Amino acid sequence: MWGLVRLLLAWLGGWGCMGRLAAPAQAWAGSRGGPGPVLLRNRRSWVWNQFFVIEEYAGPEPVLIGKLHSDVDRGEGRTKYLLTGEGAGTVFVIDEATGNIHVTKSLDREEKAQYVLLAQAVDRASNRPLEPPSEFIIKVQDINDNPPIFPLGPYHATVPEMSNVGTSVIQVTAHDADDPSYGNSAKLVYTVLDGLPFFSVDPQTGVVRTAIPNMDRETQEEFLVVIQAKDMGGHMGGLSGSTTVTVTLSDVNDNPPKFPQSLYQFSVVETAGPGTLVGRLRAQDPDLGDNALMAYSILDGEGSEAFSISTDSQGRDGLLTVRKPLDFETRRSYSFRVEATNTLIDPAYLRRGPFKDVASVRVAVQDAPEPPAFAQAAYHLAVPENKAPGTLVGQVSASDLDSPASPIRYSILPHSDPERCFSIEPEDGTIRTVVPLDRETRVWHNLTVLATELDSSAQASRVQVAIQTLDENDNAPQLAEPYDTFVCDSAAPGQLIQVIRALDRDEVGNSSRVSLQGPLGPDANFTVRDNRDGSASLLLPSRPAPPRQAPYLVPIELWDWGQPAMSSTATVTVSVCRCRPDGSVASCRPEAQLSPAGLSTGALLAIITCMGTLLGHTVSSVSQPACGSERNQVPCSGPCGLSALCAPLPQRWWCSLWPCGGKSRKR
């Protein structure tokens, strides 16, 4: 029978503690191998527990860590001991004859903390197991061989300046590879090696905090803090590691702006226009970003009227500019105060204010050559129409502000008077007409007058002169349109045939009323009734018109009430037609010769005579037209005192006339 196999483990520094491991109750045949009943007996149990090897231990030769032995081994050399499992044959070796187990090299717990092995005793000759394999564990016992390290270091952190004591900055964390469950090899304590007295660190958590109040970024912006972590609870002999924390103080608005000088002096020429930059002012603020943004303002009314100040695009400089035109002859300098104020103020730091500053500014106005200045910014003149050339319109005046006695020369820019209707006296600026003006053609003439210094042609200025053409009653009223109407042959006496409207080209107010009148007397075929609103109603008289084939030509006299009054005559054509019951035209008689009921033979002769007279005037007389006019109105006369107003129309002539005994052109 196999005896009890006992594993003796000899440890450096002591024996291992033993626990209980059960073995199977199986018997083998007798040692002689003969037949017969198998003799069974209960084996004794193996007794052990886990065992330890101190890491990093190294000697001149392999170190004995234990012994494997079976009670069937009688020292005859027939028993062979085997070792299998993790590290068997390399890290751990066994003496097959004696069962001694040795470790062959130094072990590192941080690489591998334990090894699981199988021990077995076999017959050397047949390799038959003498005992079932038994598992056991060899644990590597830790020693303090790893210093703490900061895997995330170096660190960078930011904390606002002026922070209170104890303000958290950052937390640093170190790691120790040693066994935290064995001794104090991995128990860490944090301390500040460099950075006192500004910062402190919590020994247990590694939280870095401010240690003093009112740290000023403008004095020192960055701090380098060195933090150490030490194991063994910080006691002597412990290993340590360190890291750096770069702490940057962020800016707060704790500094008011300050002008580096109390007085700023600038100069600007008087010709500088509004918006011209006069100069820059900068109040100094050691803060950064939005905390240094400023707004500028002018405190005194004297300066704010002539100048304005604004902040540049960076929010730092004040830009002083001209607000309104300057005049050296009127005022030569300005003095005022400018205030700079922080736009963003933190209430937590009001005690460090006020966050504004004031400086004085003096601006000197420099004299500059100036062009002549007109007495008025613009001129509005007027002249009646139809006046003879050379009529006085008005006068413009300019002077040299730098030298009032210097002579000035005046001229009209040609593009502003393309028809050359006006002239100007170069010495005194008197404006006159060159040709008669016609209001009905053009009411306004906009001239540009140039004033130039005689001794310096480069110094010149312009002014706008608006000349209004005033109306005169020089146009006779006319019919608004040619009227060609009809009347039914069955119309009742007094029926309205047509409303006739008049037109006067003169300005409303000069001849505000136009009167119209038709043939008078008991023999008149039609009645014209003046409506007193510039129109008249053409009516059938109470006595019906005699039947006839040709249309009636009804003469109409028109006159206005201007000074002098103007008149003209015109005709309205009326056809007598056959109408349907609904009043629509069925047919009109063909046109025939004029009968005495419309125009007399004398009237026809007057028409022929008038046409001849007009043709004669056209060929023999040439008159100067009004400025901008396209036609003239000329009088014509006929037999027996007939007078009419003839006017040329485009491509043809026409004559409005009145039969013998009619009204004259002027009333």
Side-chain angles (χ1 to χ4, degrees):
M1 296 296 295
W2 290 92
L4 177 64
V5 178
R6 180 176 300 169
L7 180 62
L8 301 177
L9 299 177
W11 304 103
L12 295 176
W15 293 90
C17 299
M18 291 191 293
R20 183 170 301 273
L21 178 64
Q26 180 169 356
W28 276 260
S31 60
R32 293 177 174 81
V38 177
L39 179 61
L40 298 178
R41 76 183 185 99
N42 289 329
R43 290 183 48 209
R44 290 176 296 173
S45 298
W46 295 64
V47 181
W48 57 26
N49 204 335
Q50 60 184 2
F51 303 96
F52 298 89
V53 176
I54 297 177
E55 68 169 333
E56 305 294 345
Y57 180 83
E61 56 187 27
V63 177
L64 176 65
I65 63 171
K67 182 179 179 67
L68 183 65
H69 184 74
S70 174
D71 57 2
V72 299
D73 183 4
R74 304 176 187 271
E76 299 172 351
R78 296 177 58 189
T79 303
K80 182 172 68 173
Y81 297 94
L82 301 179
L83 187 65
T84 59
E86 296 178 333
T90 55
V91 178
F92 304 101
V93 294
I94 189 170
D95 188 323
E96 295 180 350
T98 63
N100 292 333
I101 300 175
H102 295 79
V103 59
T104 62
K105 61 179 183 180
S106 174
L107 302 181
D108 187 357
R109 189 201 65 85
E110 287 69 40
E111 291 183 3
K112 190 171 180 61
Q114 67 180 19
Y115 296 84
V116 179
L117 298 170
L118 290 175
Q120 189 173 24
V122 299
D123 182 77
R124 182 178 297 275
S126 63
N127 283 331
R128 291 177 59 189
L130 301 178
E131 296 285 349
S134 297
E135 180 181 283
F136 64 96
I137 296 174
I138 300 177
K139 295 193 68 173
V140 181
Q141 184 176 336
D142 183 54
I143 64 172
N144 189 20
D145 60 341
N146 290 280
I149 61 172
F150 292 88
L152 300 180
Y155 296 85
H156 295 270
T158 301
V159 65
E161 63 174 333
M162 300 294 167
S163 295
N164 295 326
V165 174
T167 300
S168 176
V169 178
I170 195 173
Q171 182 177 21
V172 298
T173 303
H175 293 282
D176 194 317
D178 291 323
D179 188 358
S181 63
Y182 182 77
N184 293 326
S185 298
K187 185 177 181 180
L188 305 181
V189 173
Y190 298 93
T191 57
V192 177
L193 295 183
D194 193 4
L196 298 173
F198 304 104
F199 299 94
S200 63
V201 64
D202 188 294
Q204 307 301 324
T205 65
V207 175
V208 180
R209 302 179 184 274
T210 57
I212 63 173
N214 300 327
M215 284 191 289
D216 189 7
R217 184 200 64 82
E218 289 73 31
T219 302
Q220 183 175 345
E221 183 176 6
E222 191 173 274
F223 296 83
L224 185 64
V225 182
V226 179
I227 304 296
Q228 175 186 268
K230 189 174 184 180
D231 60 17
M232 298 301 291
H235 296 299
M236 183 179 298
L239 302 179
S240 65
S242 64
T243 188
T244 60
V245 181
T246 302
V247 181
T248 302
L249 298 182
S250 60
D251 187 61
V252 299
N253 190 12
D254 60 337
N255 292 280
K258 181 71 176 177
F259 283 106
Q261 58 193 74
S262 59
L263 175 64
Y264 291 83
Q265 299 191 62
F266 304 101
S267 62
V268 61
V269 295
E270 61 176 335
T271 55
T276 302
L277 179 65
V278 178
R280 287 176 174 262
L281 297 86
R282 170 174 284 194
Q284 296 178 350
D285 190 331
D287 293 323
L288 300 177
D290 292 346
N291 295 324
L293 296 180
M294 279 173 282
Y296 295 85
S297 60
I298 297 176
L299 298 181
D300 305 303
E302 174 188 82
S304 60
E305 294 177 357
F307 302 94
S308 60
I309 192 168
S310 59
T311 308
D312 67 353
S313 59
Q314 304 299 319
R316 303 301 298 268
D317 291 355
L319 306 180
L320 185 65
T321 57
V322 177
R323 183 175 184 179
K324 69 176 185 179
L326 305 174
D327 185 11
F328 174 81
E329 289 72 26
T330 302
R331 186 165 186 173
R332 302 190 176 188
S333 67
Y334 294 83
S335 296
F336 49 90
R337 296 182 302 154
V338 171
E339 182 181 73
T341 307
N342 276 142
T343 58
L344 299 176
I345 299 177
D346 191 337
Y349 304 100
L350 286 176
R351 55 186 172 79
R352 303 181 67 88
F355 289 84
K356 59 184 178 180
D357 195 23
V358 177
S360 298
V361 177
R362 184 179 185 276
V363 180
V365 180
Q366 297 178 341
D367 190 22
E370 297 178 88
F374 282 94
Q376 299 178 210
Y379 289 84
H380 179 195
L381 306 177
V383 61
E385 64 176 332
N386 301 323
K387 292 298 182 181
T391 300
L392 176 65
V393 179
Q395 185 180 19
V396 297
S397 176
S399 61
D400 184 354
L401 299 180
D402 296 324
S403 179
S406 298
I408 305 296
R409 292 295 178 263
Y410 303 91
S411 61
I412 298 175
L413 294 183
H415 74 271
S416 66
D417 185 24
E419 297 176 342
R420 302 294 189 271
C421 296
F422 302 92
S423 65
I424 190 169
E425 184 63 35
E427 287 77 16
D428 61 7
T430 300
I431 300 176
R432 298 179 182 274
T433 61
V434 175
V435 294
L437 305 179
D438 183 14
R439 190 205 67 84
E440 286 70 39
T441 302
R442 187 173 180 182
V443 179
W444 290 96
H445 298 265
N446 296 308
L447 307 181
T448 301
V449 175
L450 184 69
T452 308
E453 293 182 9
L454 184 61
D455 55 355
S456 177
S457 59
Q459 297 298 328
S461 57
R462 303 180 181 186
V463 72
Q464 296 297 315
V465 180
I467 301 177
Q468 183 181 9
T469 306
L470 301 178
D471 185 56
E472 288 190 344
N473 195 29
D474 59 343
N475 290 277
Q478 305 168 5
L479 292 182
E481 58 181 278
Y483 289 96
D484 188 350
T485 185
F486 74 95
V487 63
C488 295
D489 55 4
S490 60
Q495 178 175 322
L496 175 65
I497 301 173
Q498 179 72 46
V499 176
I500 304 167
R501 301 190 182 279
L503 175 66
D504 193 334
R505 297 176 62 239
D506 289 319
E507 185 175 12
V508 176
N510 194 359
S511 53
S512 59
R513 177 183 170 191
V514 175
S515 297
L516 299 91
Q517 181 177 301
L520 302 176
D523 297 333
N525 294 324
F526 298 94
T527 300
V528 177
R529 184 180 66 200
D530 190 355
N531 296 329
R532 300 182 180 276
D533 60 356
S535 68
S537 298
L538 180 62
L539 307 170
L540 278 178
S542 57
R543 177 181 60 81
R548 55 174 295 168
Q549 294 183 345
Y552 290 93
L553 299 179
V554 183
I556 304 294
E557 182 186 12
L558 306 92
W559 71 90
D560 60 27
W561 294 81
Q563 295 296 327
M566 302 293 292
S567 65
S568 66
T569 58
T571 58
V572 176
T573 302
V574 181
S575 300
V576 180
C577 302
R578 185 177 300 279
C579 299
R580 298 183 181 89
D582 61 357
S584 61
V585 176
S587 64
C588 291
R589 297 183 179 90
E591 186 173 321
Q593 300 293 327
L594 298 176
S595 70
L599 289 178
S600 64
T601 303
L604 295 177
L605 292 175
I607 293 175
I608 298 173
T609 304
C610 182
M611 295 297 292
T613 302
L614 292 176
L615 292 175
H617 276 286
T618 303
V619 174
S620 61
S621 63
V622 178
S623 61
Q624 183 178 11
C627 185
S629 177
E630 297 180 355
R631 63 179 179 84
N632 295 327
Q633 293 179 335
V634 296
C636 61
S637 61
C640 56
L642 178 68
S643 64
L645 179 65
C646 300
L649 290 174
Q651 308 297 328
R652 67 187 184 91
W653 296 82
W654 65 277
C655 181
S656 300
L657 46 93
W658 186 258
C660 294
K663 304 298 181 179
S664 63
R665 180 174 183 269
K666 294 185 179 180
R667 297 182 62 87

